[in-house]
Amino acid sequence: MASASSTTRERLSRETLAAGALALADREGLEAVTIRRLATDKSVTPMALYWHFKDKDAVLDGIAEQIFDSVVLPEPSTGDWDEQLREVLDAVLAAIRPHPLAADLLAPRVMKSVAGLVLAERVIGMLRRAGFSPQQASQTASFLLCSIVTLVTSEPGKQTNLTAEDQENLDRGKRAQLASLDPKLFPSLLESAEFFLYCDDEDTYFARGMDFLVDGTRGVRPS
Amino acid sequence: MASASSTTRERLSRETLAAGALALADREGLEAVTIRRLATDKSVTPMALYWHFKDKDAVLDGIAEQIFDSVVLPEPSTGDWDEQLREVLDAVLAAIRPHPLAADLLAPRVMKSVAGLVLAERVIGMLRRAGFSPQQASQTASFLLCSIVTLVTSEPGKQTNLTAEDQENLDRGKRAQLASLDPKLFPSLLESAEFFLYCDDEDTYFARGMDFLVDGTRGVRPS
DNA sequence: ACCTGAACACCGTTCAAGT
DNA sequence: ACCTGAACACCGTTCAAGT
């Protein structure tokens, strides 16, 4: 009977659809996230999604929301303001790192999920207590989130979702293009050529990024 | 006769098409930049564009190239490395600021135009002389460019291209959403609410952003 | 060299209708 | 409440053909 069929489709829900969308983005990139693709993946008609989401942008909101939900904010510590900032930024980075292909959705959507709001409140509050004005605090907080996204999305070698051989071909092409440059005109570029293609130590890459952000924040801190 | 007609179409060229594409992006955003739209704007068939550009991505490359071309790099000065860095970053910012709706194209395309390569060489060279390793120099340079783009694209109130009234409606909605938050839970967010919607002084906003970037770079500088 | 015409395989979305 | 069918207005792109 129908109930025994292994292909019976379970009911759709906002949550399972959003989870499917995030998984798809992680595997194939944001361009692959389309209403029609999502529908066929769930063996359903495209229009079925419109019951659960207002439009495609709401689906993307759902992806972002899941990532914000995965941020585990540390307990407020007793350290200096810059140590506390570092701990929170580390938590955000940890949540975003698994999703380099979806991270671009986050910055414009902080205010559209409660987890995003909680995160923003946390960072802005910390900056306020560190002496920032409301305006500076909100601007700095938003810049910090954007920067973490930038670190994740522009890590050398991580911006793509190709097969190993396609990746190799693309790398070979870039290497050739760089190698064809005049060494008199582009000495530093040629010297660093390899490091545009891959990142040999991700952890120190991100650690340095975090150092940069905390130092930068210290630099613009009033008085 | 036809030669006297004011509507005679002049010959297409890669340059005029790319200029039209940039102007369109500036006016209506990147989503408006489509092969078909560009074609009808130039009173031509969509397929005509494929003579001048390999595909749509090449059109976007053309937009990015124009912005990179508009960067006027300062003469190498005799100041400290951080002063020189600041001067170059200011030049990049000045070139990107007029194009908030197209700026997202830049970061992945630095290596695809000569102006981009020249810019990258300049920054990486400066960082090398300041003591950065080739790897750190290239990573920092790429992060700096991304950050300038971030400053421009995420300036409060500038992420959109709506009519004045649509903008007001949207702002009213956001204000209402923020105002509905629990003041016990989101005190700092409510305090800064206005500053998510507009930026009262763009110049100091950008100046502080540049301070942040130079201080951050100082912070991660070796030894 | 430069452009057109017709066609294909995709999109998001609306609206009425089914259960 | 939840999903389908048919239709519309868009995309990018290929391929053969015109001048």
Side-chain angles (χ1 to χ4, degrees), chain A residues 75-125:
Chain A
E75 291 298 310
S77 82
T78 57
D80 293 337
W81 73 270
D82 47 353
E83 290 179 37
Q84 295 194 37
L85 177 64
R86 177 70 181 245
E87 290 168 9
V88 171
L89 297 187
D90 280 336
V92 176
L93 175 65
I96 303 184
R97 266 182 82 167
H99 308 289
L101 298 174
D104 276 326
L105 296 175
L106 298 176
R109 289 178 172 82
V110 207
M111 303 309 207
K112 299 184 99 179
S113 71
V114 303
L117 287 165
V118 168
L119 173 60
E121 170 65 27
R122 177 74 175 263
V123 177
I124 295 174

Side-chain angles (χ1 to χ4, degrees), chain B residues 178-198:
Chain B
L178 282 167
S180 74
L181 295 176
D182 184 345
K184 307 280 184 197
L185 294 174
F186 301 98
S188 310
L189 215 46
L190 289 168
E191 197 183 26
S192 319
E194 277 309 302
F195 305 113
F196 290 108
L197 301 179
Y198 80 108

